[in-house]
Amino acid sequence: KARKQLTVYSLPSILTISLKRFHWSGRKIMAAISYPSELDMAPFMPNVRTSTSALLHFNTFADPLTNSFLEQKPATNVNYELYGVLVHHGHTSTSGHYTAYVRAANGMWYHCDDTRVSMSSPHAALSQCEGAYVLFYKRVTNRQVRNFNVIFF
C-alpha cells in the first residue's frame, strides 16, 4: 500500500485552509467536508528524533532559497481553534454569493452577509459542510483553548 502525506515544517499564527470547491470546468464541487473547531497540527509536522545520529540525519532540511540546512526544532504550540468560515452559495465559480461566519474576541459567533451582521452559533459555523470554501484557524496556547461547542442559540 502507498501512502501520501503532507508535512509542514513551520506553522503560522493564522492558518488559512482553502478547500478545493471548483472543478476545472467551473462547476462547484458539492462534496460535504467536515472540519473541526479545534485542530492539532502535530500529525502534520515532521517527526522529532532524539538520538544524536538521527538528529543530524532526520532533523535537517535544505532551505531552497539559501541552499543551507535548517535544524528542525521540536514542534510546540501546534493547536489551533476555528475563528472564521468563508462560505460560497451557488453552483459555479462564476456565480453565487459569499457569506462568512466569524468568531469575535469575546467568543461570540456572527454571520456576515453583505451589510447584515447577525448573531450566530458555533454549531452554525461548523455546519457549512457543503459550502465552506476557506477556513481560518488561530494558533492558541493550551490555556487559551476553549470548547465552544457548549453554547447554542
Side-chain angles (χ1 to χ4, degrees), residues 113-153:
D113 186 355
D114 290 337
T115 59
R116 290 187 318 256
V117 176
S118 55
M119 289 183 73
S120 190
S121 69
H123 178 71
L126 290 167
S127 298
Q128 304 303 311
C129 298
E130 291 183 1
Y133 184 49
V134 181
L135 306 174
F136 299 91
Y137 286 90
K138 178 179 81 163
R139 188 186 290 191
V140 294
T141 62
N142 289 337
R143 65 180 180 279
Q144 290 177 313
V145 174
R146 299 177 251 235
N147 182 358
F148 50 80
N149 290 327
V150 175
I151 302 171
F152 295 99
F153 291 103

Side-chain angles (χ1 to χ4, degrees), residues 8 11-17 39 41 80 83 135-139:
V8 181
L11 292 170
S13 297
I14 303 298
L15 180 64
T16 305
I17 300 174
L39 181 62
M41 290 297 291
Y80 287 82
Y83 80 94
L135 306 174
F136 299 91
Y137 286 90
K138 178 179 81 163
R139 188 186 290 191

Side-chain angles (χ1 to χ4, degrees), residues 48-140:
V48 176
R49 312 281 189 219
T50 55
S51 72
T52 307
S53 61
L55 181 64
L56 180 61
H57 186 268
F58 291 108
N59 278 6
T60 55
F61 295 87
D63 183 346
L65 299 177
T66 63
N67 286 328
S68 62
F69 285 93
L70 302 171
E71 183 178 330
Q72 179 185 353
K73 296 184 174 49
T76 59
N77 194 18
V78 295
N79 296 311
Y80 287 82
E81 66 181 3
L82 185 70
Y83 80 94
V85 180
L86 180 62
V87 182
H88 178 264
H89 306 273
H91 297 287
T92 69
S93 61
T94 58
S95 66
H97 180 69
Y98 290 92
T99 62
Y101 290 85
V102 294
R103 186 173 51 84
N106 65 2
M108 299 298 294
W109 279 89
Y110 295 91
H111 181 234
C112 305
D113 186 355
D114 290 337
T115 59
R116 290 187 318 256
V117 176
S118 55
M119 289 183 73
S120 190
S121 69
H123 178 71
L126 290 167
S127 298
Q128 304 303 311
C129 298
E130 291 183 1
Y133 184 49
V134 181
L135 306 174
F136 299 91
Y137 286 90
K138 178 179 81 163
R139 188 186 290 191
V140 294

